[in-house]
Amino acid sequence: MRSSCLINCHNYVDYVGEAIDSALAQSKPFDEVIVVDDGSSDGSADRIREDYGGHAKVRLIAKPQAGQLSCFHVGLAESRGDLLFFLDADDRYAPEMLQRVTDLYRRRPEIGFVSTGYRRFGAIEGWHPPASGSRRRGISVASAALHRCWIGNPTSCLSMRRTVAQKVLPYPDESDWQTRADDVLVLGSSIMGADKYHLELPLVEYRIHDRNHFAGKRLDAVGKMRYALCVERMVNWYLRAARVNRDSIAYLLHREFRTCERPSSKELRSYLRMLGRGRLPWSTRLDYSLNMVLHYAKEYRRRKATPPAVEPDLAVTEAPRHANATGTSQSNVKAA
C-alpha cells in the first residue's frame, strides 16, 4: 500500500519544517509528502522551497488562501497514495507512527479510517488519552447523524484509505471550514459508512502555542450558532450523498451498535437515548434495546477477560528538529 502524507500549512514558517522532517523520519518511509501552503504571508512557501526543493519525496503546492478544507481537497487531488495521512504544519509525528498504523490497515482490511492518540507539547505537556483503549469503533452512520457522535481525534491523528477519502471529499461548502476542517473528515467519514478503529498510542505530537488556528479558541453565542449551522449543512449533505433517510435511520441503531468493540456504558446509554427518540413502534424499540444490552454485556465480559490494548508507556521518540525552526519547544505561548 502506497502512503501519502498531506500537510496543510498557513503562516507556520516556524513549525512547518519540523512537520516535514517528522514525516521524512518515519521508520517506514512515506511514498510522498505533499505540503499544501494556503496563501501564507510569512514566507512559509519560500522556506519550504529553500529547504526541500531538491527532495525527491517532498512536493510543495502553493495556492491562494481558502482555508484548511481547501488544502485537504488539493492534497487528495494531487496525491497517489492508497493510505492518506493528514498532518497540520505545527504538529509532528513520532517516528514509528506510519509503521504502526500501516500494520493495522494491513491486518484489518475491513478498517477504512484510523485515529491515534497524541501527546501535547509546547504550552501544555503530556499524553492525552481517551478512556476506552485501542479498539474497533465500528460503523457510526446513525450516531453521527442523530447525535453528532465524533469518532476521531484532531487532524494530525487521522488517516484513511483512499477509497474512504474519495467518498468524503470534496465537500462543496469549502468556505464553512477554513478552520476545524477535521469535523468534515470525522463526521463525513462516519456518515459515508467508514469502519473506524482507534489506536490508543501517542503517535502524534500536538503543539499548543499562541498561534493555533483552532485549539484554545472560544466561541461566543453567535459563533456557536454559526458553527452549528455549518455542521447541520454538512450532516444533511452527507446523508443525501449516502442516500440515507434521517427519518428511518433509527432502524439501523441496534445493528450499528453491534459493530463497536467493547462499547462503554456511556455509549450504550447514548444509543438507547437515540433509540428512544426514534419514530419506532414500542415493540421494536424494546427488541432493539434488548439486542444492544446483550451486545454490551457480551463485550463487557470480554473486556474483563482481555483488557484493552493500552500502551501508555510507549516511548515516543521526539521528531527531528528542523535546523531553521524557532518554535520547537516554546512554552510561553497559548493555553489549550
Side-chain angles (χ1 to χ4, degrees), residues 68-70 72-73 86 113 150 155 158 160 164-165 167-192 196 227 230-231 233-235 237-238:
Q68 189 182 27
L69 181 58
S70 72
F72 297 166
H73 288 157
F86 299 86
F113 177 108
W150 211 84
T155 301
L158 305 180
M160 61 183 75
V164 173
K167 295 178 182 177
V168 176
L169 302 175
Y171 172 69
D173 293 321
E174 195 173 79
S175 61
D176 282 354
W177 301 100
Q178 298 200 29
T179 60
R180 203 170 177 168
D182 48 359
D183 282 11
V184 177
L185 300 181
V186 171
L187 290 173
S189 58
S190 285
I191 296 174
M192 298 308 292
K196 295 190 172 186
Y227 167 71
C230 291
V231 173
R233 277 194 294 271
M234 175 178 60
V235 167
W237 188 87
Y238 280 114

Side-chain angles (χ1 to χ4, degrees), residues 6-8 19 68 72 86-92 155-156 206:
L6 310 182
I7 301 177
N8 67 93
Q68 189 182 27
F72 297 166
F86 299 86
L87 178 61
D88 286 339
D90 56 340
D91 296 336
R92 306 184 301 213
T155 301
S156 300
Y206 182 79

Side-chain angles (χ1 to χ4, degrees), residues 35 40 49 70 76 86 88 103 114 116 121 139 155 166 175-176 198 200 211 223 232 238 260 278 288 299 309 321 331:
V35 188
S40 293
R49 290 190 189 96
S70 72
L76 173 62
F86 299 86
D88 286 339
D103 286 349
V114 174
T116 73
F121 74 107
I139 296 173
T155 301
Q166 289 172 330
S175 61
D176 282 354
H198 178 71
E200 190 171 299
R211 291 189 289 119
E232 185 68 14
Y238 280 114
C260 181
Y288 287 1
E299 291 293 298
R321 299 188 178 192
S331 59

Side-chain angles (χ1 to χ4, degrees), residues 39-208:
S40 293
S41 58
D42 66 347
S44 293
D46 290 337
R47 175 71 62 82
I48 296 165
R49 290 190 189 96
E50 178 182 346
D51 293 346
Y52 302 96
H55 200 289
K57 288 191 175 181
V58 179
R59 183 150 52 105
L60 170 66
I61 301 171
K63 67 177 191 62
Q65 183 181 357
Q68 189 182 27
L69 181 58
S70 72
C71 294
F72 297 166
H73 288 157
V74 171
L76 173 62
E78 295 292 332
S79 65
R80 297 295 178 266
D82 304 298
L83 301 177
L84 306 179
F85 293 76
F86 299 86
L87 178 61
D88 286 339
D90 56 340
D91 296 336
R92 306 184 301 213
Y93 287 141
E96 64 271 30
M97 184 283 302
L98 182 60
Q99 182 70 64
R100 288 180 178 268
V101 177
T102 302
D103 286 349
L104 175 60
Y105 278 116
R106 186 171 288 111
R107 292 195 312 270
R108 303 288 296 266
E110 77 279 11
I111 298 299
F113 177 108
V114 174
S115 59
T116 73
Y118 62 93
R119 292 186 190 276
R120 294 173 294 194
F121 74 107
I124 296 178
E125 302 281 344
W127 186 37
H128 184 272
S132 55
S134 297
R135 61 186 175 120
R136 181 187 183 186
R137 299 299 304 274
I139 296 173
S140 48
V141 179
S143 58
L146 298 177
H147 199 54
R148 305 295 188 264
C149 190
W150 211 84
I151 309 295
N153 248 350
T155 301
S156 300
C157 303
L158 305 180
S159 65
M160 61 183 75
R161 295 187 190 271
R162 186 175 201 86
T163 51
V164 173
Q166 289 172 330
K167 295 178 182 177
V168 176
L169 302 175
Y171 172 69
D173 293 321
E174 195 173 79
S175 61
D176 282 354
W177 301 100
Q178 298 200 29
T179 60
R180 203 170 177 168
D182 48 359
D183 282 11
V184 177
L185 300 181
V186 171
L187 290 173
S189 58
S190 285
I191 296 174
M192 298 308 292
D195 197 340
K196 295 190 172 186
Y197 194 98
H198 178 71
L199 185 61
E200 190 171 299
L201 295 173
L203 297 173
V204 169
E205 294 180 296
Y206 182 79
R207 191 191 304 266
I208 302 298

Side-chain angles (χ1 to χ4, degrees), residues 272-297:
L272 291 175
R273 283 196 299 271
M274 287 187 283
L275 187 61
R277 292 194 294 266
R279 298 176 180 177
L280 305 178
W282 70 266
S283 58
T284 301
R285 289 201 299 269
L286 181 62
D287 181 50
Y288 287 1
S289 297
L290 179 61
N291 189 289
M292 289 191 285
V293 169
L294 289 174
H295 175 67
Y296 171 79

